[in-house]
Amino acid sequence: MDLEWLKPSAFFGSILYALIGVVVFLVCFIVVDKITPYDLWAEIVEKHNVALAIVVGAMSLGISIIVAAAVHG
């Protein structure tokens, strides 16, 4: 059984790439929130706009897949 993933360099490298991925995702989400003509949070939570919630969820998954592919190489 090889414990290559348990070495400090691999472990901290994984943590660093995960943090970079989360930061890139948050920046992309904030950009999308700013370019939409209305407040996404108020529209989804207060007005219960289910269609917008589905679109935002799909957009979040898409950005996550792109970020994961970019980080993975």
Side-chain angles (χ1 to χ4, degrees), residues 17-70:
Y17 279 123
L19 289 175
I20 290 170
V22 168
V23 168
V24 170
F25 173 77
L26 286 175
V27 168
C28 291
F29 191 81
I30 289 170
V31 167
V32 168
D33 188 25
K34 295 294 181 190
I35 63 174
T36 53
Y38 41 81
D39 184 25
L40 291 178
W41 185 256
E43 193 72 27
I44 292 171
V45 175
E46 294 171 5
K47 296 182 182 177
H48 303 289
N49 191 339
V50 177
L52 182 63
I54 292 171
V55 169
V56 170
M59 185 237 6
S60 297
L61 286 173
I63 292 172
S64 297
I65 291 169
I66 291 169
V67 169

